């Protein structure tokens, strides 16, 4: 009896103690933190290691969503659940067929970021984000590690397909739209990779050396826009060093700029195993270390030795807990595990049609007229490259090939070619020693075709379509040789063009690529060129929609296509120095990235920034400014009319040329853009933009401020950066210091920056 009473007492005491333990969501966050042991604190500052971690200290199941990139630590006694972090950015990346699972977990592959940016349609990107985020929610994850908005500084960067543009306004606006779409589901986004992660070679050590001005105007600017307009739950610091310090260890970057200057309130996590010094990361405000585990001992020791202040840890924990409180897992969301994949495929397809850029269309080759039989050349015609490789790859069920797209659209494709190419593909797959064979065909050289084979097709087909494919991905940069088309590819285009043109038939080249390639040395040969990008699992259907004329192309380039790789302003210094094993990457082109360089230094390009054709034409008129003198803002308006015969949408771009009395500036910079609704022939739309003082300003690093210089500003509105249709100007009577910032992030080495004076 005595024993029973005693046990009951112990139990009651236990309950009392348990009842007193603060619970996340019920008690103040500071009380929850105060109730943690030091070990719990340190464990919560990092994830639970990678998925191969065999002995999780908690004894809990390691993985909460099969295929997750990582998860946060859980402390059940304090009501803190684990949360799942999963990759993007072109769709949710989880395991499609986990062992012993009773169902599949396929996700939708959406167009890659580069492709999405080509739509110049932020509403479309937001909508894609909404569908993507729904899969994140319904499959049980809490955060999509997306969007990635690093600048396309050099076309060889292996991860460019995951990024949007060479222009910070486009990258920032697209990133913000993606964040809004994703987070509308009540899941988080992780804006990455902060910052200046433009090189994959030696990505975990390379030091990007960038002037303060180039940082502020180009590399940080995109993040600033996305943070302020998208409000991501989390930001991911990058792998690289920036001006001497790892970004994840850089207080100036993560705290002074991101939090204090831009007002970011969320959580900062490291990239996977990024940085070197956990104490420096904690101090910098890099709250969460991913995937975690390996720094536990180091941090425990640091707290005990007082090399880190426990208050710093508590501050970071507060941000982690604030994040966890928002997650579906904390809220006990009842995942269906059945997102509407059919609806999302439709979103992916319609987005893809708005992402494909028509580069050439001589004699209205497109849309097809009277075409029934199509000769499909090139291995990639039979295996569409939906997206790039690495963590950005999506485990989708099936990608519609270009061949499938044509067949679905009612065209006949020539069986002999199909047999030749499918046999080639099968042989490449069979002979490959790779374990993951998904991409072996993408990376394999093109099949050389005898001219006689091409000649045998011509009488059976009404048109020839040649697909050129390229893939790339995380962890490595492309070579200049990959930028050029191979001899086999060029011969294929030449031979097909000769044979088909001799028979009076047209040739279309389709580019199924993730990054910029050379076009200048072969583009005269075909009649039409369609840049299909890597547009997700519905790419083949979307392409057929465009070629058939069901959809009028309305995409434009979010980057420049140079005449040759050597013309790229960073070509001489990419990836870095020394060239064979780079340590430093001097960004010597400074602010002259992409069109800012080509336009300021009058360098010809193959296709300029903002370029893209349509099946119709648009007339621009009535450009009006609300005033000819700038005080605090100026409204710009104009009319865009569909003056052609086909319904279509137009991307309207506003460039500004600022006075260069005090400091040099790019010849022009994109300051606003808009996409019209679908305009019927003859229909017009009024488009308006607002220019505020910040849009006039350049960054003066000497005084750490954004300054708008007095003088005359020219507003240029057009269909591309080199197709300006309307101009007007206004004056700013006084030089204005628009925003004073901190004198931080200066280079640790001398950067010999390019200057107009050195032209
Ligand atoms: C990549 C990130 C990715 C993370 C998790 C890293 O290697 O750089 O973009 O989110 O892995 O998979």
């Amino acid at each position: 009896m005595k024993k029973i009473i005693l046990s009951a007492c112990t139990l009651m005491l236990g309950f009392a103690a348990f009842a007193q333990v603060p619970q996340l969501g019920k008690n103040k966050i500071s009380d929850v933190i105060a109730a943690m042991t030091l070990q719990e604190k340190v464990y919560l500052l990092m994830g639970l290691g990678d998925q191969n971690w065999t002995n999780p200290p908690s004894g809990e199941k390691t993985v909460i969503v099969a295929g997750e990139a990582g998860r946060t630590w859980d402390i059940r006694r304090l009501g803190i659940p684990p949360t799942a972090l999963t990759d993007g950015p072109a769709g949710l990346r989880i395991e499609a067929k986990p062992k012993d699972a009773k169902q599949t977990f396929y996700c939708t592959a959406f167009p890659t970021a580069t492709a999405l940016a080509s739509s110049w349609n932020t509403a479309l990107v937001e909508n894609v984000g909404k569908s993507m985020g729904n899969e994140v929610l319904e499959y049980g994850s809490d955060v999509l590690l997306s969007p990635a908005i690093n600048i396309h500084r050099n076309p060889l960067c292996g991860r460019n397909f995951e990024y949007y543009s060479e222009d910070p306004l486009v990258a920032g606006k697209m990133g913000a739209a993606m964040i809004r779409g994703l987070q509308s589901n009540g899941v988080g986004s992780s804006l990455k990779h902060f910052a200046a992660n433009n090189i994959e070679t030696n990505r975990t050590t390379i030091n990007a050396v960038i002037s303060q001005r180039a940082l502020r105007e180009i590399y940080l600017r995109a993040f600033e826009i996305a943070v302020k307009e998208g409000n991501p739950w989390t930001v991911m610091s990058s792998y690289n060093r920036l001006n001497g310090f790892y970004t994840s260890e850089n207080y100036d970057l993560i705290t002074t700029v991101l939090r204090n200057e831009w007002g970011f309130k969320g959580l900062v996590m490291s990239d996977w195993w990024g940085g070197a010094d956990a104490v420096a990361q904690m101090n910098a405000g890099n709250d969460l270390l991913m995937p975690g585990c390996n720094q536990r001992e180091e941090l425990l020791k640091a707290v005990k030795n007082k090399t880190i202040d426990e208050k710093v840890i508590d501050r970071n924990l507060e941000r982690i807990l604030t994040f966890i409180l928002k997650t579906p897992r904390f809220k006990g969301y009842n995942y269906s595990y059945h997102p509407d994949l059919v609806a999302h495929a439709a979103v992916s397809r319609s987005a893809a049609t708005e992402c494909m850029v028509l580069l050439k269309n001589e004699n209205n080759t497109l849309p097809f007229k009277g075409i029934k039989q199509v000769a499909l050349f090139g291995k990639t015609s039979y295996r569409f490259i939906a997206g790039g490789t690495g963590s950005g790859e999506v485990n989708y069920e099936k990608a519609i090939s270009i061949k499938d797209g044509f067949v679905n659209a009612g065209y006949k494709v020539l069986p002999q070619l199909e047999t030749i190419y499918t046999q080639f593909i099968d042989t490449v797959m069979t002979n490959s020693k790779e374990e993951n064979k998904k991409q072996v065909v993408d990376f394999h050289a093109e099949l050389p075709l005898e001219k006689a084979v091409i000649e045998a097709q011509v009488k059976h087909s009404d048109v020839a379509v040649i697909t050129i494919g390229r893939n790339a991905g995380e962890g490595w940069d492309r070579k200049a040789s990959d930028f050029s088309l191979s001899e086999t590819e060029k011969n294929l285009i030449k031979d097909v063009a000769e044979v088909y043109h001799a028979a009076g038939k047209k040739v279309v080249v389709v580019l199924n690529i993730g990054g910029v390639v050379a076009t200048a040395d072969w583009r005269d040969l075909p009649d039409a060129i369609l840049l299909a990008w890597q547009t997700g699992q519905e790419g083949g259907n979307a392409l057929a929609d465009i070629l058939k004329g069901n959809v009028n192309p309305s995409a434009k380039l979010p980057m420049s296509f140079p005449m040759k790789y050597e013309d790229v302003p960073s070509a001489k210094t990419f990836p870095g120095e020394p060239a064979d094993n780079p340590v430093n990457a001097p960004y010597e082109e400074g602010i002259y990235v992409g069109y800012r360089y080509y336009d300021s230094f009058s360098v010809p390009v193959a296709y300029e920034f903002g370029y893209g054709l349509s099946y119709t034409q648009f007339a621009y008129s009535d450009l009006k400014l609300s005033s000819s003198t700038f005080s605090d803002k100026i409204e710009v308006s104009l009319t865009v009319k569909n003056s052609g015969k086909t319904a279509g949408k137009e991307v309207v771009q506003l460039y500004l040329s600022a006075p260069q009395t005090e400091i040099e500036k790019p010849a022009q910079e994109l300051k606003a853009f808009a996409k019209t609704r679908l305009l019927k022939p003859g229909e017009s739309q009024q488009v308006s933009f607002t220019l505020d003082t910040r849009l006039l300003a350049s960054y003066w690093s000497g005084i750490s401020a954004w300054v708008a210089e007095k003088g005359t500003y020219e507003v240029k509105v057009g269909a591309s950066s080199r197709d300006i249709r309307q101009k007007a100007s206004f004056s700013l009577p006084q030089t204005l210091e628009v925003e004073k910032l901190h004198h931080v992030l200066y280079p640790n080495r001398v950067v010999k920056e390019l200057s107009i004076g050195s032209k």
Side-chain angles (χ1 to χ4, degrees):
M1 186 60 166
K2 211 165 145 196
K3 213 170 166 191
I4 293 173
I5 293 171
L6 240 171
S7 312
C9 286
T10 327
L11 211 68
M12 276 162 71
L13 272 171
F15 274 137
F18 190 73
Q20 275 161 22
V21 175
Q23 297 292 298
L24 185 65
K26 297 205 175 77
N27 299 87
K28 287 206 307 230
I29 288 182
S30 52
D31 292 342
V32 176
I33 296 173
M36 288 179 194
T37 64
L38 179 59
Q39 176 168 319
E40 283 171 334
K41 284 186 178 183
V42 166
Y43 280 24
L44 190 59
L45 289 171
M46 55 197 80
L48 206 64
D50 73 5
Q51 288 185 36
N52 302 321
W53 182 257
T54 45
N55 185 21
S58 66
E60 298 280 336
K61 184 161 69 99
T62 316
V63 173
I64 50 177
V65 177
E68 71 202 7
R71 53 157 283 195
T72 57
W73 181 248
D74 53 297
I75 308 174
R76 301 292 166 125
R77 70 175 192 97
L78 300 177
I80 304 171
T83 62
L85 314 178
T86 40
D87 268 309
L92 172 64
R93 174 182 170 76
I94 54 173
E95 185 89 44
K97 293 176 174 175
K99 212 166 139 259
D100 303 330
K102 292 192 186 64
Q103 68 162 92
T104 54
F105 296 82
Y106 287 113
C107 297
T108 308
F110 293 93
T112 54
T114 300
L116 286 176
S118 305
S119 73
W120 294 64
N121 185 342
T122 49
L124 174 146
V125 175
E126 189 165 333
N127 194 38
V128 165
K130 207 168 149 197
S131 303
M132 216 185 268
N134 178 260
E135 294 184 17
V136 177
L137 178 71
E138 295 301 344
Y139 277 143
S141 181
D142 297 286
V143 170
L144 193 74
L145 303 169
S146 165
I149 65 161
N150 297 94
I151 294 292
H152 290 179
R153 170 180 175 244
N154 185 293
L156 301 186
C157 171
R159 286 188 99 167
N160 274 357
F161 74 96
E162 292 190 61
Y163 305 149
Y164 292 100
S165 174
E166 70 183 24
D167 180 83
L169 182 80
V170 175
K173 294 278 179 190
M174 294 295 157
M178 179 54 79
I179 296 166
R180 289 194 299 267
L182 286 170
Q183 294 191 168
S184 67
N185 292 281
V187 297
S189 115
S190 191
L191 178 65
K192 67 189 188 183
H193 310 92
F194 188 58
N197 187 173
N198 317 97
I199 302 162
E200 285 299 292
T201 308
N202 290 352
R203 64 174 177 161
T204 56
T205 52
I206 198 141
N207 179 31
V209 189
I210 314 180
S211 73
Q212 288 164 297
R213 179 172 180 195
L215 259 181
R216 294 287 190 172
E217 291 189 12
I218 310 286
Y219 299 99
L220 295 182
R221 179 75 181 129
F223 283 96
E224 180 184 3
I225 295 169
V227 164
K228 289 181 176 169
E229 299 180 15
N231 203 8
W233 288 11
T234 79
V235 166
M236 187 193 294
S237 54
S238 56
Y239 280 131
N240 54 290
R241 293 182 165 95
L242 168 60
N243 291 339
F245 296 97
Y246 275 117
T247 56
S248 58
E249 299 173 10
N250 193 332
Y251 181 90
D252 288 340
L253 181 71
I254 292 180
T255 296
T256 311
V257 172
L258 176 66
R259 297 189 197 279
N260 300 348
E261 291 181 356
W262 301 347
F264 177 68
K265 298 268 183 302
L267 161 84
V268 176
M269 70 178 82
S270 69
D271 199 345
W272 270 229
W273 296 280
D277 179 345
V279 171
Q281 290 174 310
M282 287 297 122
N283 281 327
N286 192 113
D287 313 300
L288 179 67
L289 302 177
M290 289 307 296
C293 268
N294 46 326
Q295 302 98 331
R296 282 177 178 166
E297 291 312 311
E298 185 187 341
L299 275 184
L300 277 170
K301 211 149 95 195
V303 181
K304 285 183 188 144
N305 290 344
K306 308 286 179 225
T307 46
I308 189 165
D309 186 344
E310 206 169 328
K311 286 204 199 83
V312 167
I313 284 183
D314 291 352
R315 174 200 69 184
N316 296 3
L317 286 169
E318 171 142 10
R319 295 188 194 127
I320 293 172
L321 292 179
T322 307
F323 151 74
I324 292 174
L325 271 170
K326 291 196 274 199
T327 58
R329 187 154 270 95
F330 178 82
K331 292 182 177 163
Y333 182 75
N334 193 8
Y335 317 109
S336 71
Y337 296 112
H338 290 288
D340 190 345
L341 296 180
V342 174
H344 296 169
V347 170
S348 184
R349 175 173 178 167
S350 100
T353 60
E354 209 169 319
C355 296
M356 296 187 179
V357 189
L358 183 60
L359 295 178
K360 178 176 179 180
N361 194 18
E362 219 160 72
N363 300 321
N364 297 324
T365 299
L366 299 176
F368 286 162
K369 289 165 253 341
I371 303 283
K372 292 198 174 67
Q373 313 256 18
V374 184
L376 272 179
F377 294 92
K379 61 185 165 84
T380 317
S381 295
Y382 301 86
R383 272 183 77 88
F384 191 74
I385 306 173
T389 70
S391 62
E393 198 187 321
V394 180
N395 296 319
Y396 53 84
E397 186 167 14
K398 180 177 172 6
I400 305 292
S401 69
I402 292 177
K403 187 222 105 190
D404 293 342
F406 276 118
V407 171
N408 294 344
Y411 295 104
K412 292 218 159 48
V413 299
L414 297 195
Q416 194 195 355
L417 281 181
E418 185 177 356
T419 309
I420 293 174
Y421 281 107
T422 42
Q423 277 176 359
F424 170 68
I425 290 169
D426 288 347
T427 315
V428 171
M429 302 272 276
T430 316
N431 293 346
S432 158
K433 292 197 178 58
E434 294 279 320
E435 221 171 278
N436 176 3
K437 299 200 176 197
K438 215 165 159 195
Q439 282 112 7
V440 287
V441 179
D442 308 352
F443 290 108
H444 196 281
E446 183 57 88
L447 171 71
L449 271 196
E450 297 284 329
K451 207 158 173 189
V453 176
I454 301 170
E455 280 159 353
Q457 312 304 320
V458 69
K459 64 170 180 298
H460 305 295
S461 50
D462 307 312
V463 70
V465 173
I466 310 166
T467 310
I468 302 294
R470 283 285 180 288
N471 210 345
E474 186 176 342
W476 53 280
D477 291 311
R478 295 162 63 207
K479 299 257 174 311
S481 54
D482 189 71
F483 179 83
S484 309
L485 263 53
S486 68
E487 285 310 307
T488 310
E489 289 168 329
K490 283 195 272 194
N491 284 339
L492 181 66
I493 297 175
K494 185 168 84 35
D495 291 348
V496 171
E498 262 170 34
V499 172
Y500 275 76
H501 288 163
K505 295 179 180 175
K506 303 272 179 64
V507 176
V508 180
V509 169
V510 172
L511 297 174
N512 180 197
I513 57 180
V516 176
V517 295
T519 52
D521 55 345
W522 57 266
R523 64 176 166 166
D524 292 343
L525 298 171
D527 304 276
I529 306 174
L530 187 70
L531 171 54
W533 288 126
Q534 294 172 342
T535 13
Q537 65 182 47
E538 290 291 324
N541 282 331
L543 183 94
D545 286 338
I546 290 180
L547 298 191
K548 201 171 178 182
N550 295 344
V551 178
N552 184 354
S554 63
K556 302 213 180 187
L557 295 176
M559 80 296 282
S560 316
F561 269 52
M563 294 295 283
K564 51 187 188 309
Y565 176 67
E566 294 70 34
D567 289 345
V568 174
S570 56
K572 281 202 204 79
T573 54
F574 188 88
E577 295 168 352
D580 57 341
N581 190 17
V583 176
N584 291 297
Y587 283 36
E588 288 179 353
E589 71 286 355
I591 54 170
Y592 297 109
V593 178
Y595 71 90
R596 284 171 168 76
Y597 168 75
Y598 301 117
D599 294 347
S600 307
F601 290 79
S602 309
V603 177
V605 289
Y607 298 108
E608 74 270 16
F609 177 79
Y611 171 86
L613 301 173
S614 162
Y615 295 156
T616 190
Q617 296 81 42
F618 295 95
Y620 289 55
S621 64
D622 300 327
L623 179 65
K624 287 193 191 75
L625 305 186
S626 56
S627 165
S628 58
T629 311
F630 191 94
S631 49
D632 59 345
K633 59 177 190 238
I634 272 191
E635 306 290 344
V636 180
S637 68
L638 73 147
T639 305
V640 176
K641 179 178 176 186
N642 183 345
S643 55
K645 296 195 176 67
T646 312
K649 298 179 183 177
E650 171 71 326
V651 174
V652 185
Q653 303 158 42
L654 187 154
Y655 296 86
L656 198 64
S657 294
Q660 310 213 23
T661 10
E662 302 266 11
I663 66 164
E664 68 179 83
K665 303 193 177 101
Q668 57 175 2
E669 291 182 282
L670 183 79
K671 295 296 175 179
F673 61 88
K675 187 139 194 185
T676 67
R677 60 174 189 273
L678 186 74
L679 296 174
K680 294 196 201 92
E683 205 183 340
S684 299
Q685 184 178 335
Q686 241 221 342
V687 178
S688 40
F689 304 106
T690 304
L691 295 177
D692 61 18
T693 18
R694 179 64 188 274
L695 289 175
L696 270 51
S698 306
Y699 192 74
W700 291 19
S701 28
I703 55 166
S704 308
W706 287 96
V707 178
E709 232 179 272
K710 72 173 180 206
T712 304
Y713 288 75
E714 196 171 14
V715 176
K716 302 161 163 181
V717 183
S720 86
S721 58
R722 293 194 176 181
D723 184 7
I724 300 300
R725 306 285 183 84
Q726 297 262 290
K727 287 183 187 177
S729 56
F730 63 85
S731 67
L732 178 69
Q734 288 303 327
T735 294
L736 299 175
E737 186 178 290
V738 180
E739 195 179 355
K740 180 89 177 158
L741 298 173
H742 298 87
H743 181 60
V744 289
L745 303 174
Y746 34 89
N748 65 325
R749 294 163 60 92
V750 179
V751 220
K752 289 190 228 99
E753 268 195 323
L754 181 66
S755 151
I756 299 271
S758 60
K759 217 184 337 191

Coordinates of all heavy atoms in Angstrom, one line a residue, residues 432-455:
S432 N 26.4 2.9 -70.2 CA 26.8 3.8 -69.2 C 27.0 3.1 -67.9 O 26.2 2.2 -67.5 CB 25.8 4.9 -69.0 OG 25.9 5.5 -67.7
K433 N 28.1 3.5 -67.2 CA 28.4 2.8 -65.9 C 27.8 3.6 -64.8 O 27.9 3.2 -63.6 CB 29.9 2.7 -65.7 CG 30.5 1.7 -66.7 CD 31.9 1.3 -66.3 CE 32.5 0.3 -67.2 NZ 32.6 0.7 -68.7
E434 N 27.2 4.8 -65.1 CA 26.6 5.6 -64.0 C 25.5 4.9 -63.3 O 24.8 4.1 -63.9 CB 26.0 6.8 -64.7 CG 26.9 7.8 -65.4 CD 27.6 8.7 -64.4 OE1 26.9 9.2 -63.5 OE2 28.8 9.0 -64.6
E435 N 25.4 5.1 -62.0 CA 24.4 4.5 -61.3 C 23.0 5.2 -61.6 O 22.0 4.5 -61.9 CB 24.7 4.6 -59.8 CG 24.3 3.3 -59.1 CD 24.9 3.4 -57.7 OE1 26.1 3.1 -57.5 OE2 24.1 3.7 -56.8
N436 N 23.1 6.5 -61.5 CA 21.9 7.3 -61.9 C 22.0 7.6 -63.4 O 22.8 8.5 -63.8 CB 21.9 8.5 -61.0 CG 20.7 9.4 -61.4 OD1 19.9 9.1 -62.2 ND2 20.6 10.6 -60.7
K437 N 21.2 6.9 -64.2 CA 21.3 7.0 -65.6 C 20.5 8.2 -66.2 O 20.4 8.3 -67.4 CB 21.0 5.7 -66.3 CG 21.9 4.6 -65.8 CD 21.9 3.4 -66.8 CE 22.9 2.4 -66.2 NZ 23.3 1.4 -67.2
K438 N 19.8 8.9 -65.3 CA 18.8 9.8 -65.8 C 19.4 10.8 -66.8 O 18.8 11.2 -67.8 CB 18.3 10.6 -64.6 CG 16.8 10.9 -64.8 CD 16.2 11.3 -63.4 CE 15.0 12.1 -63.6 NZ 14.6 12.8 -62.3
Q439 N 20.6 11.3 -66.6 CA 21.1 12.4 -67.4 C 22.2 11.9 -68.4 O 22.8 12.8 -69.1 CB 21.7 13.5 -66.5 CG 20.6 14.4 -66.0 CD 20.5 14.2 -64.5 OE1 21.3 13.5 -63.9 NE2 19.5 14.8 -63.9
V440 N 22.5 10.6 -68.4 CA 23.7 10.2 -69.3 C 23.5 10.7 -70.7 O 24.5 11.0 -71.4 CB 24.0 8.7 -69.2 CG1 24.7 8.4 -67.9 CG2 22.8 7.9 -69.5
V441 N 22.3 10.6 -71.2 CA 22.1 11.0 -72.6 C 22.3 12.5 -72.8 O 22.9 12.9 -73.8 CB 20.6 10.5 -73.1 CG1 20.4 10.9 -74.5 CG2 20.5 9.1 -72.9
D442 N 21.8 13.3 -71.8 CA 22.0 14.7 -71.9 C 23.5 15.1 -72.1 O 23.8 16.0 -72.8 CB 21.5 15.5 -70.7 CG 20.1 15.1 -70.2 OD1 19.5 14.4 -71.0 OD2 19.7 15.5 -69.1
F443 N 24.3 14.4 -71.4 CA 25.8 14.7 -71.4 C 26.5 14.0 -72.5 O 27.7 14.3 -72.7 CB 26.4 14.4 -70.0 CG 25.9 15.4 -69.0 CD1 25.0 14.9 -68.0 CD2 26.3 16.7 -69.0 CE1 24.5 15.8 -67.0 CE2 25.8 17.6 -68.0 CZ 24.9 17.1 -67.0
H444 N 25.9 13.1 -73.2 CA 26.6 12.3 -74.2 C 26.6 13.2 -75.5 O 25.7 13.9 -75.8 CB 25.8 11.0 -74.5 CG 26.7 10.0 -75.2 ND1 26.8 10.1 -76.6 CD2 27.4 9.0 -74.8 CE1 27.6 9.1 -77.0 NE2 28.0 8.4 -75.9
A445 N 27.7 13.0 -76.3 CA 27.8 13.7 -77.5 C 26.7 13.4 -78.5 O 26.1 12.3 -78.4 CB 29.2 13.4 -78.2
E446 N 26.4 14.3 -79.3 CA 25.3 14.1 -80.3 C 25.7 13.0 -81.3 O 26.8 12.8 -81.6 CB 25.0 15.5 -81.0 CG 23.9 15.5 -82.0 CD 22.6 15.0 -81.4 OE1 21.8 15.9 -80.9 OE2 22.2 13.8 -81.5
L447 N 24.6 12.4 -81.8 CA 24.9 11.3 -82.8 C 25.1 11.9 -84.2 O 24.3 12.7 -84.7 CB 23.6 10.4 -82.9 CG 23.5 9.4 -84.0 CD1 24.5 8.2 -83.7 CD2 22.1 8.8 -84.1
P448 N 26.3 11.6 -84.8 CA 26.5 12.1 -86.1 C 25.6 11.4 -87.1 O 25.4 10.2 -87.0 CB 28.0 11.8 -86.4 CG 28.6 11.2 -85.1 CD 27.4 10.8 -84.3
L449 N 25.0 12.1 -88.0 CA 24.1 11.5 -89.0 C 24.7 11.7 -90.4 O 25.2 12.7 -90.8 CB 22.8 12.2 -89.1 CG 21.7 11.8 -88.1 CD1 20.3 12.4 -88.6 CD2 21.5 10.3 -88.0
E450 N 24.7 10.6 -91.2 CA 25.1 10.6 -92.6 C 24.2 11.5 -93.3 O 23.0 11.5 -93.1 CB 25.0 9.2 -93.2 CG 25.9 8.2 -92.5 CD 27.4 8.3 -93.0 OE1 27.6 8.8 -94.1 OE2 28.3 8.0 -92.2
K451 N 24.7 12.2 -94.3 CA 23.8 13.1 -95.1 C 22.8 12.3 -95.8 O 21.6 12.7 -96.0 CB 24.7 13.9 -96.1 CG 24.0 15.2 -96.4 CD 25.0 16.3 -96.9 CE 24.2 17.5 -97.4 NZ 25.1 18.4 -98.1
A452 N 23.1 11.1 -96.2 CA 22.2 10.2 -96.9 C 20.9 9.9 -96.1 O 19.8 9.8 -96.6 CB 22.9 8.9 -97.3
V453 N 21.2 9.8 -94.7 CA 20.0 9.6 -93.9 C 19.1 10.8 -93.9 O 17.9 10.7 -93.9 CB 20.5 9.3 -92.4 CG1 19.4 9.1 -91.4 CG2 21.4 8.1 -92.4
I454 N 19.7 12.0 -93.9 CA 18.9 13.2 -93.9 C 18.1 13.3 -95.2 O 16.9 13.6 -95.3 CB 19.8 14.4 -93.7 CG1 20.5 14.3 -92.3 CG2 19.0 15.7 -93.7 CD1 21.6 15.3 -92.1
E455 N 18.8 13.0 -96.3 CA 18.2 13.0 -97.6 C 17.0 12.0 -97.7 O 16.1 12.3 -98.4 CB 19.3 12.7 -98.7 CG 20.1 14.0 -99.0 CD 21.4 13.6 -99.7 OE1 21.8 12.4 -99.8 OE2 22.2 14.6 -100.0

